Amino acid sequence: MKVQQCNKLSWVNLEVEEQLQEYVNQNKLTKYVFNDLLEDSELYDGETWLHQLKNRCEDVARGCSTGIVSSLIYYKDTVAFFNEYKEEIGEILKELATDCGSDYIYNKILEGDIFIEDVLTQNKLAWLGYEEVNYRILSILEEMED
């Protein structure tokens, strides 16, 4: 999938636009998730593309386990997604562990104590990566409406 830039944001608050552009262009996972959300948001009702995107993000915020993200339903797809974005998902996991006040879980994964080669674990981590990027995009979009 070709990565799009956030050029549709030109009419909104410049500071928030820059924040979204900076976040989306951070790495290949954030670019992929944004483009996927943007593409799927075209099917949503809304006054503007921004409302459509926000509505899509709100639906995805209910969790990938609902099947809302069609590319992350089957294990073969979630495992491929995990393998493609393993480094970025690892960074998200590290941030979340640090935010909880402990790097214990992240360190256990790095040490190999938690079996990360398990398909179920890769599935959950794939969902975690997609959902966390979605959550951060949604947080930025909510700032635009304030």
Side-chain angles (χ1 to χ4, degrees), residues 51-73:
H51 290 101
Q52 292 172 307
L53 180 60
K54 184 174 179 279
N55 291 338
R56 174 64 181 164
C57 288
E58 287 172 345
D59 281 353
V60 171
R62 293 184 179 100
C64 289
S65 63
T66 65
I68 190 74
V69 179
S70 61
S71 62
L72 294 177
I73 294 175

Side-chain angles (χ1 to χ4, degrees), residues 1 32 36-37 39-40 43-44 56 59-60 63-78 81 123 127 130:
M1 175 179 283
Y32 174 83
D36 193 50
L37 292 167
E39 184 178 317
D40 289 344
L43 303 173
Y44 282 71
R56 174 64 181 164
D59 281 353
V60 171
C64 289
S65 63
T66 65
I68 190 74
V69 179
S70 61
S71 62
L72 294 177
I73 294 175
Y74 301 103
Y75 287 129
K76 68 178 181 64
D77 298 326
T78 58
F81 183 88
N123 179 67
W127 288 348
Y130 195 102

Side-chain angles (χ1 to χ4, degrees), residues 41 44-52 55:
S41 71
Y44 282 71
D45 289 331
E47 294 175 20
T48 67
W49 75 272
L50 179 60
H51 290 101
Q52 292 172 307
N55 291 338

Side-chain angles (χ1 to χ4, degrees), residues 66-132:
T66 65
I68 190 74
V69 179
S70 61
S71 62
L72 294 177
I73 294 175
Y74 301 103
Y75 287 129
K76 68 178 181 64
D77 298 326
T78 58
V79 168
F81 183 88
F82 172 78
N83 288 324
E84 176 71 25
Y85 301 107
K86 190 177 199 172
E87 183 177 314
E88 292 85 354
I89 292 169
E91 286 300 314
I92 289 171
L93 187 59
K94 183 177 182 179
E95 288 175 31
L96 293 173
T98 302
D99 289 347
C100 291
S102 174
D103 290 335
Y104 176 77
I105 295 171
Y106 182 73
N107 289 334
K108 287 294 185 185
I109 290 172
L110 286 181
E111 293 168 6
D113 288 350
I114 296 177
F115 192 61
I116 202 162
E117 297 303 317
D118 176 58
V119 169
L120 296 176
T121 303
Q122 291 177 359
N123 179 67
K124 297 289 186 190
L125 290 174
W127 288 348
L128 171 78
Y130 195 102
E131 290 171 3
E132 186 61 22

